[in-house]
Amino acid sequence: MADIARRAGVSRIAVSYALNGRPGVSADLRRRILGIAREVGYRANGPALALHGAAASAVGLVLLRSSAALTVEVFRRQLIAGIQAELSARGFGLALQLVADLEEEAQVYRRWSAERRVDGVLICDPRLDDPRIPVVRKLGLPAALVGGTPDEALPGAWCDDAGWTRDLVEHLGGLGHARIARVSGPGGMVHTTVRDAAMREACARRGIGLTVVRGDYTGADGAARTRELLRRGRRPTAIVYDNDVMAVAGLGVAGELGLAVPDGLSIVACEDSPLCQVVGPPLTVIRRDIAAFGSLATAQLFAALDGEPRPPVQAESGRLEVRRSTGPA
């Protein structure tokens, strides 16, 4: 600003008024100052503006994932694409941070709030009695949830995981499968709990035996859980994986152990991706518009930022797409 003031032959106060659209300078002088600012490549300093109470024009997103996991997990990339589309339409940026645990995530929120780095945050994978919600409330940091249920305490978007889970069990039960295993994500998350309950209820109704084991969404863990399940005395005839990466890893393990898919084992991925479509055989999946899900949650956050918080809204539900990885038991 001092450089612009020297070139224009005016005070820094006049430059400040012109750049910030405030009265106090003539229209001609404002145009001249803005022209010089463009010539010298002037950009407002975000942290400095934040100290004066200006909006950061950014939304924060913290993911409990390693950078390596993010490169192979299609769900997160599609979710970020949907969030970014909504942000771009509003002229906002995205502050993305990868963390190892919930306590580190809470520390990021505290730092962002203290430094006024973001105007609000999107919280992914809501937990039962989520410890992050009291943190953002205490900070006064606007937030919206990506996932959860219609009864959540914050605005956001949720999916009907129970509905497509029941459809999936009906599909496998109709093929004669009497022993199904589910390789889920980590316990304690709302969507994991909802899927567990829906699958147990649907299997019990059809007299199907169900085994649930926990994974961490990585290929290595999906492979390990698959070996554990297939080496049992009464192994499952179908395995349902919570994401595409674990399902593709499970397909590889089945081949190592001499089990043809689907003749010896049926496999389902609860997310779709190019991986699921190009492997042999292509995997039966649950399809949903993940980018639209992220965009919807972001729109909910903007409503809260505009002073019009809304209750959680339902995103489009997943739907079963049958391919060649499921067959008769």
Side-chain angles (χ1 to χ4, degrees), residues 14-78:
V15 173
S16 175
Y17 287 167
L19 294 177
N20 292 293
R22 297 169 61 187
V25 294
S26 68
D28 287 343
L29 179 57
R30 188 185 307 277
R31 281 194 295 271
R32 185 154 63 90
I33 289 172
L34 292 175
I36 294 171
R38 285 192 296 271
E39 288 175 14
V40 300
Y42 171 81
R43 294 291 183 274
N45 182 282
L49 289 174
L51 291 173
H52 292 279
S57 295
V59 164
L61 177 67
V62 180
L63 298 178
L64 274 74
R65 292 289 190 280
S66 67
S67 57
L70 195 61
T71 62
V72 297
E73 197 177 21
V74 170
F75 178 89
R76 300 293 163 187
R77 296 206 304 275
Q78 292 182 352

Short mmCIF file of all heavy atoms in Angstrom, two decimals, residues 14-78:
data_model
loop_
_atom_site.label_atom_id
_atom_site.label_comp_id
_atom_site.label_asym_id
_atom_site.label_seq_id
_atom_site.Cartn_x
_atom_site.Cartn_y
_atom_site.Cartn_z
N ALA A 14 -5.71 7.26 1.84
CA ALA A 14 -6.48 7.36 0.60
C ALA A 14 -6.44 6.04 -0.17
O ALA A 14 -7.45 5.60 -0.74
CB ALA A 14 -5.94 8.50 -0.28
N VAL A 15 -5.27 5.40 -0.18
CA VAL A 15 -5.15 4.09 -0.85
C VAL A 15 -6.05 3.07 -0.16
O VAL A 15 -6.74 2.29 -0.82
CB VAL A 15 -3.68 3.62 -0.84
CG1 VAL A 15 -3.57 2.20 -1.38
CG2 VAL A 15 -2.82 4.57 -1.66
N SER A 16 -6.05 3.09 1.16
CA SER A 16 -6.89 2.15 1.91
C SER A 16 -8.36 2.35 1.57
O SER A 16 -9.10 1.40 1.34
CB SER A 16 -6.65 2.32 3.41
OG SER A 16 -7.53 1.50 4.16
N TYR A 17 -8.79 3.61 1.55
CA TYR A 17 -10.20 3.89 1.22
C TYR A 17 -10.53 3.38 -0.18
O TYR A 17 -11.58 2.77 -0.40
CB TYR A 17 -10.46 5.40 1.27
CG TYR A 17 -10.52 5.99 2.67
CD1 TYR A 17 -10.50 7.37 2.85
CD2 TYR A 17 -10.59 5.17 3.79
CE1 TYR A 17 -10.54 7.92 4.13
CE2 TYR A 17 -10.63 5.72 5.06
CZ TYR A 17 -10.60 7.09 5.24
OH TYR A 17 -10.65 7.63 6.48
N ALA A 18 -9.63 3.60 -1.13
CA ALA A 18 -9.90 3.21 -2.51
C ALA A 18 -9.95 1.69 -2.65
O ALA A 18 -10.85 1.14 -3.30
CB ALA A 18 -8.85 3.79 -3.44
N LEU A 19 -8.99 1.00 -2.05
CA LEU A 19 -8.91 -0.46 -2.20
C LEU A 19 -10.05 -1.18 -1.50
O LEU A 19 -10.48 -2.26 -1.92
CB LEU A 19 -7.58 -0.98 -1.68
CG LEU A 19 -6.33 -0.53 -2.44
CD1 LEU A 19 -5.08 -1.08 -1.76
CD2 LEU A 19 -6.38 -1.01 -3.89
N ASN A 20 -10.55 -0.59 -0.41
CA ASN A 20 -11.59 -1.25 0.38
C ASN A 20 -12.99 -0.73 0.08
O ASN A 20 -13.94 -1.08 0.78
CB ASN A 20 -11.29 -1.10 1.87
CG ASN A 20 -10.06 -1.90 2.28
OD1 ASN A 20 -10.07 -3.13 2.25
ND2 ASN A 20 -8.98 -1.20 2.63
N GLY A 21 -13.11 0.10 -0.98
CA GLY A 21 -14.43 0.57 -1.40
C GLY A 21 -15.10 1.51 -0.44
O GLY A 21 -16.32 1.61 -0.41
N ARG A 22 -14.29 2.22 0.36
CA ARG A 22 -14.87 3.13 1.34
C ARG A 22 -14.95 4.55 0.77
O ARG A 22 -14.16 4.93 -0.10
CB ARG A 22 -14.02 3.12 2.62
CG ARG A 22 -14.01 1.77 3.31
CD ARG A 22 -12.97 1.70 4.40
NE ARG A 22 -13.20 2.69 5.44
CZ ARG A 22 -12.35 2.93 6.44
NH1 ARG A 22 -11.20 2.24 6.50
NH2 ARG A 22 -12.62 3.84 7.35
N PRO A 23 -15.90 5.37 1.26
CA PRO A 23 -15.96 6.76 0.80
C PRO A 23 -14.75 7.54 1.31
O PRO A 23 -14.04 7.08 2.20
CB PRO A 23 -17.27 7.27 1.44
CG PRO A 23 -17.48 6.39 2.64
CD PRO A 23 -16.95 5.04 2.25
N GLY A 24 -14.55 8.72 0.73
CA GLY A 24 -13.42 9.55 1.17
C GLY A 24 -12.46 9.89 0.07
O GLY A 24 -11.55 10.69 0.27
N VAL A 25 -12.63 9.26 -1.12
CA VAL A 25 -11.80 9.60 -2.28
C VAL A 25 -12.73 9.78 -3.49
O VAL A 25 -13.81 9.19 -3.54
CB VAL A 25 -10.75 8.50 -2.59
CG1 VAL A 25 -9.74 8.41 -1.46
CG2 VAL A 25 -11.42 7.16 -2.81
N SER A 26 -12.26 10.57 -4.44
CA SER A 26 -13.08 10.81 -5.63
C SER A 26 -13.09 9.57 -6.52
O SER A 26 -12.21 8.69 -6.41
CB SER A 26 -12.55 12.00 -6.41
OG SER A 26 -11.27 11.67 -6.97
N ALA A 27 -14.06 9.51 -7.43
CA ALA A 27 -14.17 8.37 -8.35
C ALA A 27 -12.93 8.29 -9.24
O ALA A 27 -12.42 7.19 -9.51
CB ALA A 27 -15.43 8.50 -9.19
N ASP A 28 -12.41 9.44 -9.70
CA ASP A 28 -11.22 9.43 -10.56
C ASP A 28 -10.00 8.89 -9.81
O ASP A 28 -9.23 8.10 -10.35
CB ASP A 28 -10.93 10.85 -11.08
CG ASP A 28 -11.93 11.29 -12.14
OD1 ASP A 28 -12.62 10.39 -12.70
OD2 ASP A 28 -12.03 12.50 -12.40
N LEU A 29 -9.81 9.37 -8.57
CA LEU A 29 -8.67 8.91 -7.79
C LEU A 29 -8.79 7.42 -7.48
O LEU A 29 -7.79 6.69 -7.53
CB LEU A 29 -8.54 9.71 -6.50
CG LEU A 29 -7.37 9.32 -5.57
CD1 LEU A 29 -6.05 9.42 -6.32
CD2 LEU A 29 -7.37 10.17 -4.32
N ARG A 30 -10.00 6.95 -7.19
CA ARG A 30 -10.20 5.52 -6.91
C ARG A 30 -9.80 4.69 -8.12
O ARG A 30 -9.12 3.67 -7.99
CB ARG A 30 -11.67 5.26 -6.55
CG ARG A 30 -11.92 3.82 -6.03
CD ARG A 30 -13.40 3.57 -5.80
NE ARG A 30 -13.99 4.57 -4.93
CZ ARG A 30 -13.95 4.55 -3.60
NH1 ARG A 30 -13.30 3.56 -2.99
NH2 ARG A 30 -14.53 5.50 -2.90
N ARG A 31 -10.23 5.11 -9.33
CA ARG A 31 -9.87 4.37 -10.54
C ARG A 31 -8.36 4.35 -10.75
O ARG A 31 -7.78 3.33 -11.13
CB ARG A 31 -10.56 4.99 -11.75
CG ARG A 31 -12.03 4.59 -11.90
CD ARG A 31 -12.56 4.95 -13.28
NE ARG A 31 -12.55 6.39 -13.50
CZ ARG A 31 -13.58 7.19 -13.19
NH1 ARG A 31 -14.67 6.68 -12.63
NH2 ARG A 31 -13.51 8.48 -13.42
N ARG A 32 -7.69 5.52 -10.49
CA ARG A 32 -6.25 5.60 -10.67
C ARG A 32 -5.52 4.67 -9.69
O ARG A 32 -4.58 3.95 -10.06
CB ARG A 32 -5.78 7.04 -10.51
CG ARG A 32 -4.30 7.26 -10.81
CD ARG A 32 -4.05 8.69 -11.24
NE ARG A 32 -4.36 9.64 -10.21
CZ ARG A 32 -3.49 10.09 -9.28
NH1 ARG A 32 -2.24 9.64 -9.31
NH2 ARG A 32 -3.85 10.95 -8.38
N ILE A 33 -5.95 4.65 -8.45
CA ILE A 33 -5.33 3.80 -7.44
C ILE A 33 -5.55 2.33 -7.75
O ILE A 33 -4.62 1.51 -7.66
CB ILE A 33 -5.88 4.14 -6.03
CG1 ILE A 33 -5.35 5.52 -5.60
CG2 ILE A 33 -5.49 3.07 -5.01
CD1 ILE A 33 -5.97 6.04 -4.31
N LEU A 34 -6.75 1.96 -8.16
CA LEU A 34 -7.03 0.56 -8.51
C LEU A 34 -6.21 0.13 -9.72
O LEU A 34 -5.76 -1.02 -9.81
CB LEU A 34 -8.53 0.37 -8.78
CG LEU A 34 -9.45 0.51 -7.55
CD1 LEU A 34 -10.91 0.41 -7.97
CD2 LEU A 34 -9.13 -0.56 -6.52
N GLY A 35 -6.00 1.06 -10.67
CA GLY A 35 -5.18 0.75 -11.83
C GLY A 35 -3.74 0.48 -11.44
O GLY A 35 -3.11 -0.48 -11.93
N ILE A 36 -3.19 1.31 -10.54
CA ILE A 36 -1.81 1.10 -10.07
C ILE A 36 -1.73 -0.22 -9.30
O ILE A 36 -0.76 -0.98 -9.44
CB ILE A 36 -1.37 2.28 -9.18
CG1 ILE A 36 -1.27 3.57 -10.01
CG2 ILE A 36 -0.02 1.98 -8.51
CD1 ILE A 36 -1.05 4.83 -9.18
N ALA A 37 -2.75 -0.52 -8.50
CA ALA A 37 -2.75 -1.78 -7.73
C ALA A 37 -2.68 -2.98 -8.65
O ALA A 37 -1.97 -3.96 -8.38
CB ALA A 37 -4.00 -1.85 -6.85
N ARG A 38 -3.41 -2.92 -9.77
CA ARG A 38 -3.36 -4.02 -10.75
C ARG A 38 -1.98 -4.13 -11.38
O ARG A 38 -1.46 -5.23 -11.60
CB ARG A 38 -4.43 -3.83 -11.81
CG ARG A 38 -5.85 -4.15 -11.34
CD ARG A 38 -6.82 -4.22 -12.51
NE ARG A 38 -6.96 -2.94 -13.17
CZ ARG A 38 -7.85 -2.00 -12.82
NH1 ARG A 38 -8.68 -2.24 -11.79
NH2 ARG A 38 -7.94 -0.86 -13.46
N GLU A 39 -1.38 -2.97 -11.67
CA GLU A 39 -0.07 -2.98 -12.31
C GLU A 39 0.99 -3.62 -11.42
O GLU A 39 1.85 -4.36 -11.90
CB GLU A 39 0.35 -1.54 -12.64
CG GLU A 39 -0.42 -0.91 -13.78
CD GLU A 39 -0.02 0.55 -13.96
OE1 GLU A 39 1.03 0.96 -13.39
OE2 GLU A 39 -0.76 1.28 -14.65
N VAL A 40 0.94 -3.34 -10.12
CA VAL A 40 1.98 -3.85 -9.22
C VAL A 40 1.62 -5.22 -8.64
O VAL A 40 2.39 -5.80 -7.86
CB VAL A 40 2.25 -2.85 -8.07
CG1 VAL A 40 2.71 -1.52 -8.62
CG2 VAL A 40 1.03 -2.69 -7.18
N GLY A 41 0.46 -5.75 -9.03
CA GLY A 41 0.07 -7.09 -8.57
C GLY A 41 -0.33 -7.13 -7.11
O GLY A 41 -0.11 -8.12 -6.41
N TYR A 42 -0.95 -6.05 -6.62
CA TYR A 42 -1.34 -5.99 -5.21
C TYR A 42 -2.43 -7.01 -4.90
O TYR A 42 -3.39 -7.16 -5.65
CB TYR A 42 -1.86 -4.59 -4.86
CG TYR A 42 -2.47 -4.49 -3.48
CD1 TYR A 42 -1.68 -4.35 -2.35
CD2 TYR A 42 -3.86 -4.57 -3.32
CE1 TYR A 42 -2.25 -4.26 -1.09
CE2 TYR A 42 -4.43 -4.49 -2.05
CZ TYR A 42 -3.62 -4.35 -0.94
OH TYR A 42 -4.18 -4.28 0.29
N ARG A 43 -2.27 -7.73 -3.79
CA ARG A 43 -3.31 -8.63 -3.27
C ARG A 43 -3.43 -8.36 -1.78
O ARG A 43 -2.42 -8.26 -1.07
CB ARG A 43 -2.94 -10.12 -3.48
CG ARG A 43 -2.91 -10.54 -4.93
CD ARG A 43 -4.30 -10.56 -5.55
NE ARG A 43 -4.26 -11.05 -6.93
CZ ARG A 43 -4.02 -10.31 -7.99
NH1 ARG A 43 -3.76 -9.02 -7.83
NH2 ARG A 43 -4.04 -10.83 -9.20
N ALA A 44 -4.66 -8.31 -1.29
CA ALA A 44 -4.87 -8.10 0.15
C ALA A 44 -4.31 -9.27 0.93
O ALA A 44 -4.41 -10.42 0.51
CB ALA A 44 -6.36 -7.94 0.43
N ASN A 45 -3.71 -8.99 2.08
CA ASN A 45 -3.15 -10.03 2.95
C ASN A 45 -4.25 -10.55 3.86
O ASN A 45 -4.79 -9.82 4.70
CB ASN A 45 -2.02 -9.42 3.79
CG ASN A 45 -1.37 -10.46 4.69
OD1 ASN A 45 -1.92 -10.81 5.72
ND2 ASN A 45 -0.20 -10.93 4.29
N GLY A 46 -4.61 -11.85 3.67
CA GLY A 46 -5.72 -12.44 4.40
C GLY A 46 -5.59 -12.35 5.91
O GLY A 46 -6.49 -11.87 6.60
N PRO A 47 -4.47 -12.84 6.51
CA PRO A 47 -4.33 -12.75 7.96
C PRO A 47 -4.41 -11.32 8.50
O PRO A 47 -4.96 -11.09 9.55
CB PRO A 47 -2.95 -13.37 8.21
CG PRO A 47 -2.76 -14.32 7.06
CD PRO A 47 -3.39 -13.63 5.89
N ALA A 48 -3.85 -10.36 7.73
CA ALA A 48 -3.90 -8.98 8.18
C ALA A 48 -5.34 -8.47 8.18
O ALA A 48 -5.79 -7.79 9.11
CB ALA A 48 -3.03 -8.10 7.28
N LEU A 49 -6.09 -8.81 7.13
CA LEU A 49 -7.49 -8.41 7.09
C LEU A 49 -8.26 -9.06 8.24
O LEU A 49 -9.16 -8.46 8.82
CB LEU A 49 -8.13 -8.81 5.75
CG LEU A 49 -7.68 -8.02 4.52
CD1 LEU A 49 -8.27 -8.64 3.27
CD2 LEU A 49 -8.12 -6.57 4.65
N ALA A 50 -7.93 -10.32 8.53
CA ALA A 50 -8.64 -11.03 9.60
C ALA A 50 -8.45 -10.32 10.94
O ALA A 50 -9.36 -10.30 11.76
CB ALA A 50 -8.12 -12.47 9.70
N LEU A 51 -7.26 -9.73 11.15
CA LEU A 51 -7.03 -9.01 12.40
C LEU A 51 -7.96 -7.82 12.54
O LEU A 51 -8.23 -7.37 13.65
CB LEU A 51 -5.56 -8.55 12.47
CG LEU A 51 -4.53 -9.66 12.62
CD1 LEU A 51 -3.13 -9.08 12.51
CD2 LEU A 51 -4.70 -10.38 13.95
N HIS A 52 -8.44 -7.31 11.43
CA HIS A 52 -9.37 -6.18 11.45
C HIS A 52 -10.81 -6.65 11.37
O HIS A 52 -11.71 -5.85 11.15
CB HIS A 52 -9.07 -5.24 10.28
CG HIS A 52 -7.76 -4.53 10.43
ND1 HIS A 52 -7.60 -3.40 11.21
CD2 HIS A 52 -6.54 -4.81 9.94
CE1 HIS A 52 -6.34 -3.01 11.18
NE2 HIS A 52 -5.67 -3.84 10.41
N GLY A 53 -11.05 -7.97 11.52
CA GLY A 53 -12.40 -8.49 11.54
C GLY A 53 -12.99 -8.78 10.18
O GLY A 53 -14.18 -9.05 10.06
N ALA A 54 -12.18 -8.73 9.12
CA ALA A 54 -12.69 -9.04 7.79
C ALA A 54 -12.89 -10.54 7.63
O ALA A 54 -12.26 -11.34 8.31
CB ALA A 54 -11.72 -8.52 6.72
N ALA A 55 -13.81 -10.91 6.73
CA ALA A 55 -14.06 -12.32 6.49
C ALA A 55 -12.84 -12.97 5.83
O ALA A 55 -12.13 -12.33 5.06
CB ALA A 55 -15.28 -12.49 5.60
N ALA A 56 -12.61 -14.24 6.15
CA ALA A 56 -11.47 -14.95 5.57
C ALA A 56 -11.77 -15.46 4.18
O ALA A 56 -10.86 -15.76 3.42
CB ALA A 56 -11.08 -16.12 6.48
N SER A 57 -13.06 -15.60 3.84
CA SER A 57 -13.48 -16.15 2.54
C SER A 57 -12.88 -17.53 2.31
O SER A 57 -12.39 -17.84 1.22
CB SER A 57 -13.12 -15.20 1.39
OG SER A 57 -13.84 -14.00 1.51
N ALA A 58 -12.88 -18.34 3.35
CA ALA A 58 -12.36 -19.70 3.26
C ALA A 58 -13.15 -20.61 4.19
O ALA A 58 -13.65 -20.18 5.23
CB ALA A 58 -10.88 -19.76 3.62
N VAL A 59 -13.25 -21.87 3.79
CA VAL A 59 -13.91 -22.90 4.60
C VAL A 59 -12.88 -23.96 4.92
O VAL A 59 -12.05 -24.33 4.08
CB VAL A 59 -15.11 -23.51 3.85
CG1 VAL A 59 -15.56 -24.83 4.47
CG2 VAL A 59 -16.27 -22.52 3.82
N GLY A 60 -12.90 -24.46 6.15
CA GLY A 60 -11.93 -25.46 6.57
C GLY A 60 -12.47 -26.87 6.50
O GLY A 60 -13.65 -27.12 6.77
N LEU A 61 -11.61 -27.82 6.12
CA LEU A 61 -11.96 -29.23 6.06
C LEU A 61 -10.79 -30.02 6.62
O LEU A 61 -9.68 -29.94 6.12
CB LEU A 61 -12.23 -29.67 4.62
CG LEU A 61 -12.53 -31.15 4.39
CD1 LEU A 61 -13.86 -31.54 5.03
CD2 LEU A 61 -12.57 -31.47 2.89
N VAL A 62 -11.04 -30.79 7.69
CA VAL A 62 -10.01 -31.61 8.31
C VAL A 62 -10.37 -33.08 8.08
O VAL A 62 -11.50 -33.50 8.34
CB VAL A 62 -9.90 -31.34 9.82
CG1 VAL A 62 -8.82 -32.20 10.45
CG2 VAL A 62 -9.62 -29.87 10.08
N LEU A 63 -9.41 -33.85 7.59
CA LEU A 63 -9.63 -35.26 7.31
C LEU A 63 -8.70 -36.13 8.14
O LEU A 63 -7.50 -35.86 8.21
CB LEU A 63 -9.40 -35.56 5.82
CG LEU A 63 -10.31 -34.85 4.82
CD1 LEU A 63 -9.92 -35.21 3.40
CD2 LEU A 63 -11.77 -35.19 5.06
N LEU A 64 -9.27 -37.16 8.76
CA LEU A 64 -8.45 -38.13 9.50
C LEU A 64 -7.95 -39.16 8.51
O LEU A 64 -8.44 -40.29 8.43
CB LEU A 64 -9.27 -38.80 10.61
CG LEU A 64 -9.31 -38.06 11.94
CD1 LEU A 64 -10.21 -36.84 11.84
CD2 LEU A 64 -9.80 -38.98 13.04
N ARG A 65 -6.97 -38.78 7.72
CA ARG A 65 -6.42 -39.66 6.69
C ARG A 65 -4.97 -39.28 6.47
O ARG A 65 -4.58 -38.13 6.63
CB ARG A 65 -7.16 -39.50 5.35
CG ARG A 65 -8.58 -39.99 5.33
CD ARG A 65 -8.65 -41.51 5.38
NE ARG A 65 -10.00 -41.96 5.11
CZ ARG A 65 -10.99 -41.97 5.98
NH1 ARG A 65 -10.78 -41.53 7.21
NH2 ARG A 65 -12.18 -42.41 5.65
N SER A 66 -4.19 -40.25 6.04
CA SER A 66 -2.84 -39.93 5.59
C SER A 66 -2.91 -39.43 4.16
O SER A 66 -3.88 -39.69 3.44
CB SER A 66 -1.95 -41.18 5.64
OG SER A 66 -2.38 -42.13 4.69
N SER A 67 -1.89 -38.71 3.73
CA SER A 67 -1.86 -38.23 2.34
C SER A 67 -1.83 -39.40 1.37
O SER A 67 -2.39 -39.35 0.28
CB SER A 67 -0.64 -37.33 2.12
OG SER A 67 0.55 -38.02 2.45
N ALA A 68 -1.19 -40.53 1.77
CA ALA A 68 -1.14 -41.71 0.91
C ALA A 68 -2.52 -42.30 0.72
O ALA A 68 -2.91 -42.70 -0.39
CB ALA A 68 -0.18 -42.75 1.51
N ALA A 69 -3.31 -42.36 1.81
CA ALA A 69 -4.66 -42.91 1.70
C ALA A 69 -5.53 -42.03 0.80
O ALA A 69 -6.36 -42.53 0.04
CB ALA A 69 -5.28 -43.04 3.09
N LEU A 70 -5.33 -40.72 0.89
CA LEU A 70 -6.14 -39.80 0.10
C LEU A 70 -5.92 -39.97 -1.40
O LEU A 70 -6.82 -39.75 -2.20
CB LEU A 70 -5.83 -38.36 0.52
CG LEU A 70 -6.82 -37.28 0.08
CD1 LEU A 70 -8.20 -37.54 0.66
CD2 LEU A 70 -6.32 -35.91 0.51
N THR A 71 -4.73 -40.41 -1.79
CA THR A 71 -4.43 -40.56 -3.22
C THR A 71 -5.18 -41.73 -3.85
O THR A 71 -5.41 -41.73 -5.05
CB THR A 71 -2.92 -40.75 -3.45
OG1 THR A 71 -2.49 -41.96 -2.79
CG2 THR A 71 -2.14 -39.57 -2.93
N VAL A 72 -5.57 -42.73 -3.04
CA VAL A 72 -6.24 -43.90 -3.60
C VAL A 72 -7.72 -43.96 -3.26
O VAL A 72 -8.46 -44.72 -3.87
CB VAL A 72 -5.57 -45.21 -3.14
CG1 VAL A 72 -4.15 -45.29 -3.63
CG2 VAL A 72 -5.63 -45.36 -1.62
N GLU A 73 -8.17 -43.15 -2.30
CA GLU A 73 -9.56 -43.23 -1.86
C GLU A 73 -10.42 -42.28 -2.67
O GLU A 73 -10.35 -41.06 -2.52
CB GLU A 73 -9.65 -42.90 -0.36
CG GLU A 73 -10.95 -43.34 0.26
CD GLU A 73 -10.98 -43.07 1.75
OE1 GLU A 73 -10.22 -42.23 2.23
OE2 GLU A 73 -11.78 -43.72 2.43
N VAL A 74 -11.23 -42.85 -3.55
CA VAL A 74 -12.03 -42.04 -4.46
C VAL A 74 -13.08 -41.22 -3.72
O VAL A 74 -13.37 -40.08 -4.09
CB VAL A 74 -12.69 -42.96 -5.51
CG1 VAL A 74 -13.72 -42.20 -6.33
CG2 VAL A 74 -11.62 -43.55 -6.43
N PHE A 75 -13.66 -41.77 -2.65
CA PHE A 75 -14.71 -41.07 -1.93
C PHE A 75 -14.26 -39.68 -1.51
O PHE A 75 -14.96 -38.69 -1.74
CB PHE A 75 -15.14 -41.89 -0.70
CG PHE A 75 -16.20 -41.21 0.14
CD1 PHE A 75 -17.54 -41.41 -0.12
CD2 PHE A 75 -15.84 -40.34 1.17
CE1 PHE A 75 -18.52 -40.78 0.63
CE2 PHE A 75 -16.81 -39.70 1.92
CZ PHE A 75 -18.15 -39.93 1.65
N ARG A 76 -13.09 -39.58 -0.88
CA ARG A 76 -12.62 -38.28 -0.38
C ARG A 76 -12.36 -37.30 -1.52
O ARG A 76 -12.65 -36.12 -1.42
CB ARG A 76 -11.36 -38.45 0.47
CG ARG A 76 -11.56 -39.32 1.67
CD ARG A 76 -12.49 -38.71 2.69
NE ARG A 76 -12.99 -39.71 3.62
CZ ARG A 76 -13.92 -39.49 4.53
NH1 ARG A 76 -14.47 -38.30 4.63
NH2 ARG A 76 -14.32 -40.44 5.34
N ARG A 77 -11.79 -37.80 -2.59
CA ARG A 77 -11.49 -36.90 -3.72
C ARG A 77 -12.78 -36.37 -4.34
O ARG A 77 -12.88 -35.19 -4.69
CB ARG A 77 -10.63 -37.63 -4.75
CG ARG A 77 -9.26 -38.03 -4.23
CD ARG A 77 -8.24 -38.15 -5.35
NE ARG A 77 -8.64 -39.05 -6.40
CZ ARG A 77 -8.45 -40.37 -6.38
NH1 ARG A 77 -7.87 -40.93 -5.32
NH2 ARG A 77 -8.82 -41.14 -7.38
N GLN A 78 -13.77 -37.24 -4.51
CA GLN A 78 -15.04 -36.79 -5.06
C GLN A 78 -15.76 -35.84 -4.11
O GLN A 78 -16.40 -34.87 -4.54
CB GLN A 78 -15.92 -37.99 -5.40
CG GLN A 78 -15.40 -38.83 -6.55
CD GLN A 78 -16.31 -40.00 -6.89
OE1 GLN A 78 -17.26 -40.29 -6.17
NE2 GLN A 78 -16.00 -40.68 -7.97
#
